[in-house]
Amino acid sequence: MNKFPHRSWIEVDFGRLEGNVRAIKATLPEGVKYISVVKADAYGHCMPQALMRFLRGGADIFAVANLYEASRVREIVSDKPVIVLSPILRQERPLVFEYGATAAVSSYNEAKAFSELARERGKVLGVHVKIDTGMGRVGIWHETANEVVRQIKKLENIKITGIFTHLSSADVDRDYTMRQVGIFKDIVEKNAEPGMLIHLHNSAALRYVPVEPPFNAVRMGLIQYGINPYDDGGGFESMNLKPVLSFKSRIIAIAESEGRRLACVCAGYGDGVPSGFTPEACVLVGGKRCPIVGNVSLDECTICIDAAPQARVGDEVVFIGEQQGAEISLSDYSRWTRRIPWETMVAIPRRVDRILK
Ligand SMILES: *Cc1c(COP(=O)(O)O)cnc(C)c1O
């Protein structure tokens, strides 16, 4: 039992997490593999505990950003593939074998280096090849992809088990995204072989890119955590996604100033509350919306509690979540802090307690 009461904390509702995965899976055609993206500590939702729920919800494969994250997944899950999405450093390459991870390969030279390491170990290493269809960051540039993939296929100790691409702006630019989809399909048509995983969808792409052949897997991040990438609903309403993360704090002092009751809340930018709120920003106290006023400091921020006259020192303050029938969504909070929802989720530091439900 912790003798320190919670001052600022997040609550993670794992029942909802599992429900979201089930709801997303229910919309996918039979046989499509569900790749659960659990990078960055499961988007700040406590990866080790979240993994169990993703498994129960039906995740087939996990995706992480790097080998440290892959090693953490391996402590819990031994029998599912773990794809490392970001490029792997030369000195990290042996860890791919140690943790039985699936590397995302972005060049012939990288594939060749892996092939040599596999040969030394008497193995054939399965890799996914990443195609750059317009993100312009990592992957085999699409114009050279047919030739490079052909060369990789000739490497004796490498087996291509998947081909994928990442969409650069699925949530904001549909035309550009559809061009990426077309380019990718063309490459898949020329290079895919039976048994390969072909994947492109992130959360936002589910809105308008049909999950149909050649695609046989999807990579789900944001929506598993119950957040819709679209403010207008975007057709995701029917999934009935439930937000998983709440962010709460407490009033630690109350003062009067120029006829207003101001409360000091014990969460500042040291707790992930950013210093630049828009004027609409508010929190919930006693189920009432109370505006954030003045500057945010490292340990505290100030709210006006005129709307909640019953408020007392020690009362709960909700930045994200539900209280007495009222709600502030993670998307609202993100808009008020000029962040995207992905940033909000990963920006709450360890100083803030974790309550896992
Ligand atoms: C993070 C990531 C995803 C998940 O994206 P969401 O928008 O959160 O669903 C999918 N694919 C790749 C390559 C990623 O890096």
Side-chain angles (χ1 to χ4, degrees), residues 6-14 16-17 20 43-46 225-227 242-249 271 273 284 316-324 326-331 333 344-349 352-357:
H6 302 299
R7 288 167 67 91
S8 295
W9 67 97
I10 63 168
E11 294 172 13
V12 185
D13 186 330
F14 288 118
R16 287 184 167 192
L17 195 66
N20 290 339
Y43 288 38
H45 289 65
C46 303
Y225 306 100
I227 302 304
K242 295 275 195 301
V244 174
L245 186 138
S246 308
F247 178 24
K248 301 178 179 176
S249 186
D271 307 278
V273 175
L284 296 173
E316 177 187 277
V317 175
V318 173
F319 286 96
I320 300 169
E322 296 153 35
Q323 190 187 53
Q324 298 176 29
E327 180 178 4
I328 291 176
S329 71
L330 186 134
S331 301
Y333 178 84
T344 298
M345 287 181 174
V346 299
I348 301 173
V352 175
D353 295 337
R354 267 61 180 159
I355 299 181
L356 309 181
K357 298 204 280 193

Side-chain angles (χ1 to χ4, degrees), residues 35-39 43 63-65 84-86 130 135 137-138 164-167 170-171 199-205 218-225 227 229 342 345:
I35 305 173
S36 175
V37 181
V38 296
K39 61 194 180 193
Y43 288 38
V64 294
V84 179
L85 297 168
S86 288
K130 182 168 195 176
M135 186 119 179
R137 208 152 67 191
V138 286
F164 76 105
T165 191
H166 194 33
L167 301 169
D171 53 338
H199 47 108
L200 157 146
H201 292 79
N202 55 10
S203 298
V218 296
R219 299 187 307 270
M220 295 291 103
L222 191 74
I223 58 173
Q224 324 184 85
Y225 306 100
I227 302 304
W342 294 261
M345 287 181 174

Side-chain angles (χ1 to χ4, degrees), residues 22-81:
R22 285 185 203 286
I24 299 161
K25 276 202 76 150
T27 69
L28 300 174
E30 187 133 1
V32 170
K33 299 282 187 206
Y34 186 102
I35 305 173
S36 175
V37 181
V38 296
K39 61 194 180 193
D41 197 31
Y43 288 38
H45 289 65
C46 303
M47 194 263 277
Q49 292 85 350
L51 276 183
M52 300 312 299
R53 297 309 191 113
F54 286 131
L55 282 172
R56 275 200 240 164
D60 301 298
I61 297 169
F62 292 101
V64 294
N66 57 51
L67 279 147
Y68 174 70
E69 293 178 351
S71 77
R72 298 294 313 279
V73 173
R74 276 285 173 257
E75 287 170 14
I76 295 159
V77 183
S78 58
D79 62 344
K80 304 275 183 202

